[in-house]
Amino acid sequence: MVSRAAAGAIAASLVLVGLVLVMALGDDPSGRPDGTGTAPPTLVLPDEPDAEAQAGAQRGPRLRLQPVARFARPVWLTQPPGDPPRLFVVEKGGRVRIVRGGRVLRRPFLSLRGKVSTRTEQGLLSLAFAPSYTRSRRFYVSYTDRRGALRVEEWRTRRSSPDRADPDSRRLVIRIPQP
């Protein structure tokens, strides 16, 4: 059981992180500050490095960006403790997607679509895993509900599939009405 003070601290930290990301990305679906709505360009390094690139190669390895997937207004990226193969992407509209081995799993880990308000800075804001996640399967989400209140909920993954949230495990930790 989480104490009221601990729940408040969890809520405050989840909200802060989520709000910073939402403010940084804005409301544009592509996350571009210019509002063009197009996907950001892919960085492709030339095969023949110029003098500046050669000097950079002496400092460290060359990096190449490779697109993994397109997401609908991503606001948070995290992974469970002790689980490096999976990345969890939180989308403002209410879905959490898993990227494993460079591929996005077809079915979302969690979908709260229809329960989440996505106006201005609202939406599904964050996801946090319990320190004992590998044993307890517990995680927490923070989102703005359809009435504009901030909610923090505890969930567990399905026993049969760690890639899916168990809808029967949902438990409200705290609800904070907003003006």
Side-chain angles (χ1 to χ4, degrees), residues 86 100 107 109 133 137 156-168:
R86 296 186 302 166
R100 185 189 308 127
R107 296 183 75 179
F109 173 72
Y133 175 75
R137 305 179 348 263
R156 292 182 189 259
T157 59
R158 293 181 177 185
R159 285 196 188 278
S160 61
S161 173
D163 293 336
R164 299 288 311 279
D166 180 356
D168 295 330

Side-chain angles (χ1 to χ4, degrees), residues 93-179:
R95 290 189 311 179
V96 177
R97 309 295 307 271
I98 296 177
V99 178
R100 185 189 308 127
R103 296 177 43 112
V104 178
L105 300 186
R106 187 177 63 81
R107 296 183 75 179
F109 173 72
L110 174 68
S111 180
L112 295 174
R113 286 183 160 183
K115 295 175 178 32
V116 175
S117 172
T118 58
R119 295 173 30 200
T120 60
E121 74 276 1
Q122 299 175 341
L124 179 56
L125 304 172
S126 192
L127 166 70
F129 296 96
S132 62
Y133 175 75
T134 54
R135 187 180 72 260
S136 68
R137 305 179 348 263
R138 285 184 299 137
F139 64 94
Y140 299 86
V141 293
S142 171
Y143 68 94
T144 311
D145 68 19
R146 303 291 290 171
R147 292 184 175 173
L150 173 69
R151 294 177 67 99
V152 175
E153 294 177 347
E154 178 186 78
W155 291 71
R156 292 182 189 259
T157 59
R158 293 181 177 185
R159 285 196 188 278
S160 61
S161 173
D163 293 336
R164 299 288 311 279
D166 180 356
D168 295 330
S169 70
R170 180 183 196 167
R171 182 181 74 84
L172 179 64
V173 174
I174 192 167
R175 182 178 182 274
I176 305 170
Q178 301 295 317

Side-chain angles (χ1 to χ4, degrees), residues 13-82:
S13 62
L14 289 172
V15 169
L16 178 61
V17 169
L19 288 176
V20 167
L21 286 171
V22 170
M23 288 177 2
L25 294 174
D27 241 359
D28 183 67
S30 69
R32 293 191 53 157
D34 61 5
T36 61
T38 59
T42 302
L43 173 64
V44 178
L45 298 175
D47 291 333
E48 295 295 321
D50 57 17
E52 186 177 317
Q54 288 175 352
Q58 294 172 355
R59 290 186 295 253
R62 290 182 51 185
L63 300 177
R64 179 179 287 273
L65 296 178
Q66 179 178 351
V68 174
R70 290 180 178 248
F71 296 99
R73 301 184 289 178
V75 295
W76 187 244
L77 174 70
T78 188
Q79 74 186 141

